[in-house]
Amino acid sequence: MSDQVQPGQGPGASGPGPDGAGFTYHGAEQELIVVARPEARLRARPDGVRSAAGADVSALDMFLGDEQLTLEPLFGGEERLRQSSAPPGEQNVPDLALFYRVRGGESRAQELRSRIAALPGIDTAYVKPGAVPATVAGDSGRLKEGTPATPDFSGRQGYLRPAPEGIDAHWAWQRPGGTGQGVTVVDVEGAWQLGHEDLAAKLAGVVVGTPLADLAWRNHGTAVIGVIGGDRGEFGVNGIVPDAVTAAASFQGIGTAAAIHAAADRLGPGDVVLVELHRPGPRFEYAERDDQRGYIPIEWWPDDFAAVRYATARGVIVVEAAGNGAESLDDAVYERRPDEFPEWWRNPFNSSNQSSGAVLVGAGAPPPGTHGRDHGPDRSRLAFSNYGARLDAQGWGREVTTTGGSWDRPGDLQGGPEEIAWYTDTFSGTSSASPVVVGALAALQGMLKAAGQPPMSPERARLVLRTTGSEQQDAPGRPASQRIGSRPDIKAAVTQLLPQAIGSGRAERYWDELLPYPRELPPRLRLFVAGAWRNLNRPSPEIRQAVHTAFAGGRPDVRVWFSDDEIVGLVVTG
């Protein structure tokens, strides 16, 4: 029986688009994917196809010629695939050489699919709906003219704050590597405003593909990069990992699977690929819908799954938006193999089948009252978010303050004539949740590297997200059993990844820091113990008064237990 959720009313019930109606993005095309039979050993060239095994593929070659179509290796030729293969000994990586993309005849994709699938040498063929964000480069280097200086919006970025409200990026920034040093993140989607005033420091540009010209796509990509790598400064927003290198990979012209594969080839173990896309799924017969109901993660399609699995087998962490389809990915509808898919395909959302290894991210509600709005209990599933056992973690799915405009218009937080100075307060969907999780992972990877430790593998990253963090909460009609996972807690994850011995000692002096510096830090009580200053964040009035009194008496006896520079226990006896 399906436990498909029905749209509700009230907080958390509307979709991620304008007035809860969803988004419409233009420019994404269908993809006609062909899967060859392994024994045929096809070799596709601009002038036709042949078989390296000597099989008769003349019918296929004639069909392509008559229809003026080209068969193009999806992931590159056989020699290139050998050079960039997964590490030796890695099991269960699909054979990338079997996947091809058909060029031409886009308006007749479904008709061509059935005809080409019946030809010798072909296992099957399927049509992928256009991918859209789960919610070129501009004139780089321009300064905005005739508008006031951009204010500091970082106080509106609640997702940076300590858990459970946020992921505790402020704490990470005080640790070696916690701002993402040595980590590269590639965002796979459609377009970006790469000349934005708040994205200059660590942005590497477009590494593959041609960005779409649509403004809505550009605003979306700009918002994503801002959450992860916005420049840290006196204006605009702060990225979760401002010292991580960020780059962009557009699927236009090459398709989503090839974009993921190419992005992974440019990265090393511990780096991150973010997939900010979803597609119409089988719930509504793969129909495009403005409300995005029934949309699912792209790893459902065999070639996308193969590309993601290739990346994770190389040690690259892949983070996928789980989609805004209001779907239970545990539903039986996903167990049925589409007729067009190859027989070896298995439901990637079922944990008993081989996993792609990607982190799947759902959309959770921010704390009530954020920006004066209420979307339900903090960390509860937002009604549009997909859910299920396959999901690993959640991020803020509403009220995310970042760079870029609001859907297909200027920024709602700061607009004006200059696109490079737009900011939004309302970035939403599993699209806004995913870069929050990416930022947390990149901070952890940076800290591991700074400590001389190997980076997390994709498997370990998923485990850390599932065993630490601020737990999902119930909401009316959306119980925590509809799993989207926990909100990351960087500090809690570090204690699992980098356990350190607890030290102790008697405090020699103290400093009550009511106005901390940098200003992003919380109020702290600082105690000098064992030759270094240790910090107690947000001390209660009772603790503060007890320490004051002990030192005022002239013979203080303040016992402190600490891990690194953080106080984890304190007893005042005199």
Side-chain angles (χ1 to χ4, degrees):
M1 177 181 291
S2 167
D3 58 351
Q4 168 73 10
V5 69
Q6 297 300 315
Q9 302 296 322
S14 58
D19 302 319
F23 293 124
T24 300
Y25 290 88
H26 302 285
E29 297 179 344
Q30 295 184 122
E31 298 177 50
L32 175 51
I33 304 298
V34 170
V35 184
R37 293 188 180 278
E39 63 273 15
R41 296 188 60 196
L42 288 187
R43 297 294 181 268
R45 297 176 178 175
D47 58 347
V49 295
R50 64 182 182 86
S51 167
D56 183 3
V57 292
S58 57
L60 172 61
D61 193 47
M62 183 179 301
F63 173 80
L64 295 172
D66 290 347
E67 297 292 341
Q68 297 184 320
L69 306 174
T70 301
L71 206 59
E72 180 180 278
L74 188 58
F75 299 113
E78 190 174 73
E79 182 62 30
R80 176 185 167 191
L81 288 175
R82 277 201 299 266
Q83 294 172 356
S84 64
S85 61
E90 183 64 44
Q91 301 296 315
N92 299 319
V93 178
D95 186 353
L96 303 184
L98 301 180
F99 292 94
Y100 293 82
R101 184 178 181 182
V102 176
R103 296 288 190 180
E106 285 79 7
S107 62
R108 299 186 296 130
Q110 287 292 352
E111 173 203 341
L112 294 171
R113 184 214 66 76
S114 58
R115 295 171 63 190
I116 200 170
L119 293 170
I122 301 301
D123 181 358
T124 189
Y126 55 90
V127 177
K128 291 162 50 175
V132 296
T135 98
V136 142
D139 296 330
S140 175
R142 289 190 299 127
L143 298 176
K144 60 184 187 296
E145 301 171 358
T147 56
T150 298
D152 180 359
F153 297 128
S154 61
R156 305 180 69 82
Q157 294 179 269
Y159 55 90
L160 300 177
R161 295 175 189 153
E165 177 181 1
I167 63 173
D168 218 345
H170 296 156
W171 180 86
W173 295 344
Q174 308 309 307
R175 269 66 190 171
T179 54
Q181 296 99 322
V183 181
T184 299
V185 178
V186 178
D187 176 34
V188 177
E189 51 176 298
W192 307 262
Q193 172 49 269
L194 299 180
H196 196 281
E197 64 175 5
D198 215 356
L199 300 179
K202 294 287 184 177
L203 185 59
V206 179
V207 297
V208 67
T210 303
L212 292 154
D214 185 64
L215 176 60
W217 279 98
R218 199 157 62 243
N219 277 337
H220 186 276
T222 306
V224 168
I225 297 291
V227 173
I228 300 166
D231 297 344
R232 195 171 167 197
E234 299 299 317
F235 70 90
V237 298
N238 292 323
I240 297 171
V241 280
D243 289 327
V245 173
T246 52
S250 176
F251 64 83
Q252 182 178 228
I254 60 174
T256 55
I260 294 167
H261 181 268
D265 272 344
R266 287 160 172 79
L267 298 174
D271 290 330
V272 185
V273 168
L274 169 59
V275 182
E276 278 284 309
L277 302 164
H278 63 176
R279 281 194 176 89
R283 174 71 60 188
F284 300 106
E285 302 296 331
Y286 306 98
E288 297 180 6
R289 298 168 59 103
D290 285 351
D291 64 3
Q292 301 181 352
R293 288 284 309 284
Y295 281 41
I296 57 174
I298 69 169
E299 67 174 43
W300 166 261
W301 284 268
D303 58 316
D304 289 309
F305 178 92
V308 173
R309 183 72 191 101
Y310 169 82
T312 57
R314 290 172 57 88
V316 175
I317 294 178
V318 178
V319 177
E320 274 185 84
N324 301 341
E327 283 286 297
S328 168
L329 299 184
D330 298 330
D331 194 281
V333 68
Y334 300 109
E335 291 296 327
R336 295 193 290 272
R337 179 179 64 85
D339 293 340
E340 300 84 0
F341 283 10
E343 290 187 4
W344 47 258
W345 176 90
R346 297 293 182 272
N347 174 17
F349 308 146
N350 185 334
S351 58
S352 64
N353 297 328
Q354 181 195 352
S355 170
S356 70
V359 172
L360 240 59
V361 179
T370 301
H371 304 157
R373 293 181 278 267
D374 182 4
H375 300 285
D378 185 27
R379 306 187 308 282
S380 62
R381 183 181 74 85
L382 292 167
F384 59 78
S385 178
N386 289 340
Y387 59 96
R390 176 64 181 84
L391 272 69
D392 298 295
Q394 65 165 289
W396 278 31
R398 288 283 193 182
E399 308 301 335
V400 171
T401 300
T402 184
T403 49
S406 177
W407 187 41
D408 63 349
R409 59 203 69 166
D412 52 287
L413 186 57
Q414 177 168 286
E418 297 287 346
E419 187 180 328
I420 62 170
W422 288 354
Y423 293 84
T424 179
D425 236 2
T426 56
F427 189 36
S428 62
T430 52
S431 277
S432 67
S434 297
V436 172
V437 174
V438 166
L441 291 172
L444 292 169
Q445 298 288 55
M447 284 187 273
L448 286 168
K449 289 190 174 187
Q453 300 294 315
M456 290 183 290
S457 66
E459 182 180 10
R460 192 179 188 195
R462 292 182 65 199
L463 179 63
V464 167
L465 290 172
R466 283 173 170 264
T467 55
T468 65
S470 304
E471 291 186 354
Q472 179 181 348
Q473 302 297 303
D474 290 325
R478 302 187 304 280
S481 59
Q482 296 177 347
R483 178 184 171 83
I484 57 171
S486 298
R487 179 180 296 157
D489 178 348
I490 294 174
K491 185 190 296 186
V494 166
T495 62
Q496 182 180 118
L497 291 168
L498 291 169
Q500 300 198 10
I502 300 295
S504 63
R506 180 180 293 177
E508 301 174 37
R509 53 189 183 272
Y510 81 104
W511 180 268
D512 199 349
E513 194 175 60
L514 299 176
L515 295 174
Y517 182 83
R519 64 184 181 279
E520 296 95 348
L521 297 176
R524 299 182 295 179
L525 184 62
R526 310 193 70 198
L527 296 163
F528 193 82
V529 185
W533 286 100
R534 319 292 179 177
N535 305 314
L536 180 64
N537 292 334
R538 294 186 174 84
S540 68
E542 293 78 16
I543 290 177
R544 179 180 284 123
Q545 184 58 51
V547 172
H548 277 255
T549 302
F551 277 91
R555 298 187 63 184
D557 187 6
V558 180
R559 305 275 180 173
V560 176
W561 288 262
F562 57 87
S563 174
D564 191 14
D565 64 351
E566 182 179 4
I567 294 173
V568 297
L570 182 148
V571 174
V572 180
T573 60

PDB file of all heavy atoms in Angstrom, residues 178-193:
ATOM      1  N   GLY A 178      38.499  24.371   9.345  1.00  0.00           N
ATOM      2  CA  GLY A 178      37.042  24.421   9.451  1.00  0.00           C
ATOM      3  C   GLY A 178      36.345  25.337   8.480  1.00  0.00           C
ATOM      4  O   GLY A 178      35.114  25.292   8.369  1.00  0.00           O
ATOM      5  N   THR A 179      37.097  26.155   7.751  1.00  0.00           N
ATOM      6  CA  THR A 179      36.488  26.987   6.716  1.00  0.00           C
ATOM      7  C   THR A 179      36.599  26.343   5.334  1.00  0.00           C
ATOM      8  O   THR A 179      36.312  26.979   4.327  1.00  0.00           O
ATOM      9  CB  THR A 179      37.129  28.386   6.677  1.00  0.00           C
ATOM     10  OG1 THR A 179      38.550  28.247   6.528  1.00  0.00           O
ATOM     11  CG2 THR A 179      36.827  29.166   7.945  1.00  0.00           C
ATOM     12  N   GLY A 180      37.004  25.056   5.317  1.00  0.00           N
ATOM     13  CA  GLY A 180      37.005  24.312   4.057  1.00  0.00           C
ATOM     14  C   GLY A 180      38.308  24.320   3.287  1.00  0.00           C
ATOM     15  O   GLY A 180      38.326  23.931   2.110  1.00  0.00           O
ATOM     16  N   GLN A 181      39.401  24.716   3.931  1.00  0.00           N
ATOM     17  CA  GLN A 181      40.672  24.742   3.213  1.00  0.00           C
ATOM     18  C   GLN A 181      41.019  23.370   2.655  1.00  0.00           C
ATOM     19  O   GLN A 181      40.877  22.350   3.309  1.00  0.00           O
ATOM     20  CB  GLN A 181      41.817  25.189   4.143  1.00  0.00           C
ATOM     21  CG  GLN A 181      41.688  26.604   4.649  1.00  0.00           C
ATOM     22  CD  GLN A 181      41.110  26.656   6.048  1.00  0.00           C
ATOM     23  OE1 GLN A 181      40.222  25.875   6.386  1.00  0.00           O
ATOM     24  NE2 GLN A 181      41.590  27.583   6.859  1.00  0.00           N
ATOM     25  N   GLY A 182      41.464  23.365   1.394  1.00  0.00           N
ATOM     26  CA  GLY A 182      41.901  22.126   0.768  1.00  0.00           C
ATOM     27  C   GLY A 182      40.793  21.271   0.196  1.00  0.00           C
ATOM     28  O   GLY A 182      41.051  20.160  -0.274  1.00  0.00           O
ATOM     29  N   VAL A 183      39.558  21.773   0.209  1.00  0.00           N
ATOM     30  CA  VAL A 183      38.405  21.017  -0.294  1.00  0.00           C
ATOM     31  C   VAL A 183      37.834  21.736  -1.515  1.00  0.00           C
ATOM     32  O   VAL A 183      37.731  22.961  -1.524  1.00  0.00           O
ATOM     33  CB  VAL A 183      37.320  20.870   0.782  1.00  0.00           C
ATOM     34  CG1 VAL A 183      36.144  20.052   0.254  1.00  0.00           C
ATOM     35  CG2 VAL A 183      37.896  20.237   2.039  1.00  0.00           C
ATOM     36  N   THR A 184      37.450  20.974  -2.526  1.00  0.00           N
ATOM     37  CA  THR A 184      36.807  21.535  -3.716  1.00  0.00           C
ATOM     38  C   THR A 184      35.397  20.972  -3.849  1.00  0.00           C
ATOM     39  O   THR A 184      35.189  19.774  -3.659  1.00  0.00           O
ATOM     40  CB  THR A 184      37.612  21.207  -4.984  1.00  0.00           C
ATOM     41  OG1 THR A 184      38.923  21.771  -4.879  1.00  0.00           O
ATOM     42  CG2 THR A 184      36.936  21.782  -6.230  1.00  0.00           C
ATOM     43  N   VAL A 185      34.455  21.854  -4.165  1.00  0.00           N
ATOM     44  CA  VAL A 185      33.052  21.467  -4.360  1.00  0.00           C
ATOM     45  C   VAL A 185      32.638  21.881  -5.768  1.00  0.00           C
ATOM     46  O   VAL A 185      32.825  23.039  -6.159  1.00  0.00           O
ATOM     47  CB  VAL A 185      32.133  22.155  -3.337  1.00  0.00           C
ATOM     48  CG1 VAL A 185      30.675  21.768  -3.594  1.00  0.00           C
ATOM     49  CG2 VAL A 185      32.543  21.814  -1.911  1.00  0.00           C
ATOM     50  N   VAL A 186      32.077  20.945  -6.537  1.00  0.00           N
ATOM     51  CA  VAL A 186      31.551  21.248  -7.866  1.00  0.00           C
ATOM     52  C   VAL A 186      30.031  21.122  -7.832  1.00  0.00           C
ATOM     53  O   VAL A 186      29.496  20.073  -7.454  1.00  0.00           O
ATOM     54  CB  VAL A 186      32.137  20.320  -8.942  1.00  0.00           C
ATOM     55  CG1 VAL A 186      31.517  20.652 -10.308  1.00  0.00           C
ATOM     56  CG2 VAL A 186      33.651  20.478  -9.010  1.00  0.00           C
ATOM     57  N   ASP A 187      29.351  22.175  -8.233  1.00  0.00           N
ATOM     58  CA  ASP A 187      27.882  22.211  -8.268  1.00  0.00           C
ATOM     59  C   ASP A 187      27.408  21.858  -9.665  1.00  0.00           C
ATOM     60  O   ASP A 187      27.718  22.569 -10.637  1.00  0.00           O
ATOM     61  CB  ASP A 187      27.407  23.618  -7.870  1.00  0.00           C
ATOM     62  CG  ASP A 187      25.909  23.785  -7.976  1.00  0.00           C
ATOM     63  OD1 ASP A 187      25.186  22.803  -7.720  1.00  0.00           O
ATOM     64  OD2 ASP A 187      25.450  24.905  -8.311  1.00  0.00           O
ATOM     65  N   VAL A 188      26.645  20.772  -9.799  1.00  0.00           N
ATOM     66  CA  VAL A 188      26.129  20.320 -11.086  1.00  0.00           C
ATOM     67  C   VAL A 188      24.693  20.790 -11.237  1.00  0.00           C
ATOM     68  O   VAL A 188      23.802  20.351 -10.504  1.00  0.00           O
ATOM     69  CB  VAL A 188      26.199  18.783 -11.208  1.00  0.00           C
ATOM     70  CG1 VAL A 188      25.590  18.322 -12.536  1.00  0.00           C
ATOM     71  CG2 VAL A 188      27.639  18.304 -11.089  1.00  0.00           C
ATOM     72  N   GLU A 189      24.466  21.687 -12.176  1.00  0.00           N
ATOM     73  CA  GLU A 189      23.109  22.146 -12.506  1.00  0.00           C
ATOM     74  C   GLU A 189      23.137  22.914 -13.812  1.00  0.00           C
ATOM     75  O   GLU A 189      23.756  22.437 -14.761  1.00  0.00           O
ATOM     76  CB  GLU A 189      22.509  22.949 -11.356  1.00  0.00           C
ATOM     77  CG  GLU A 189      23.342  24.089 -10.797  1.00  0.00           C
ATOM     78  CD  GLU A 189      22.567  24.845  -9.739  1.00  0.00           C
ATOM     79  OE1 GLU A 189      21.526  25.411 -10.098  1.00  0.00           O
ATOM     80  OE2 GLU A 189      23.006  24.854  -8.571  1.00  0.00           O
ATOM     81  N   GLY A 190      22.475  24.099 -13.878  1.00  0.00           N
ATOM     82  CA  GLY A 190      22.311  24.745 -15.170  1.00  0.00           C
ATOM     83  C   GLY A 190      23.049  26.033 -15.400  1.00  0.00           C
ATOM     84  O   GLY A 190      23.606  26.260 -16.478  1.00  0.00           O
ATOM     85  N   ALA A 191      23.064  26.951 -14.421  1.00  0.00           N
ATOM     86  CA  ALA A 191      23.660  28.266 -14.662  1.00  0.00           C
ATOM     87  C   ALA A 191      23.941  28.972 -13.343  1.00  0.00           C
ATOM     88  O   ALA A 191      23.386  28.613 -12.292  1.00  0.00           O
ATOM     89  CB  ALA A 191      22.732  29.125 -15.531  1.00  0.00           C
ATOM     90  N   TRP A 192      24.791  30.021 -13.420  1.00  0.00           N
ATOM     91  CA  TRP A 192      25.223  30.770 -12.242  1.00  0.00           C
ATOM     92  C   TRP A 192      25.540  32.198 -12.654  1.00  0.00           C
ATOM     93  O   TRP A 192      25.876  32.459 -13.821  1.00  0.00           O
ATOM     94  CB  TRP A 192      26.509  30.152 -11.659  1.00  0.00           C
ATOM     95  CG  TRP A 192      26.414  28.688 -11.385  1.00  0.00           C
ATOM     96  CD1 TRP A 192      26.164  28.078 -10.196  1.00  0.00           C
ATOM     97  CD2 TRP A 192      26.541  27.620 -12.335  1.00  0.00           C
ATOM     98  NE1 TRP A 192      26.112  26.721 -10.333  1.00  0.00           N
ATOM     99  CE2 TRP A 192      26.344  26.410 -11.643  1.00  0.00           C
ATOM    100  CE3 TRP A 192      26.802  27.585 -13.704  1.00  0.00           C
ATOM    101  CZ2 TRP A 192      26.407  25.178 -12.263  1.00  0.00           C
ATOM    102  CZ3 TRP A 192      26.858  26.358 -14.332  1.00  0.00           C
ATOM    103  CH2 TRP A 192      26.659  25.164 -13.625  1.00  0.00           C
ATOM    104  N   GLN A 193      25.480  33.120 -11.713  1.00  0.00           N
ATOM    105  CA  GLN A 193      25.985  34.474 -11.923  1.00  0.00           C
ATOM    106  C   GLN A 193      27.384  34.512 -11.291  1.00  0.00           C
ATOM    107  O   GLN A 193      27.564  34.803 -10.108  1.00  0.00           O
ATOM    108  CB  GLN A 193      25.059  35.504 -11.260  1.00  0.00           C
ATOM    109  CG  GLN A 193      25.578  36.938 -11.234  1.00  0.00           C
ATOM    110  CD  GLN A 193      26.080  37.429 -12.563  1.00  0.00           C
ATOM    111  OE1 GLN A 193      27.254  37.290 -12.863  1.00  0.00           O
ATOM    112  NE2 GLN A 193      25.192  37.997 -13.373  1.00  0.00           N
TER     113      GLN A 193
END
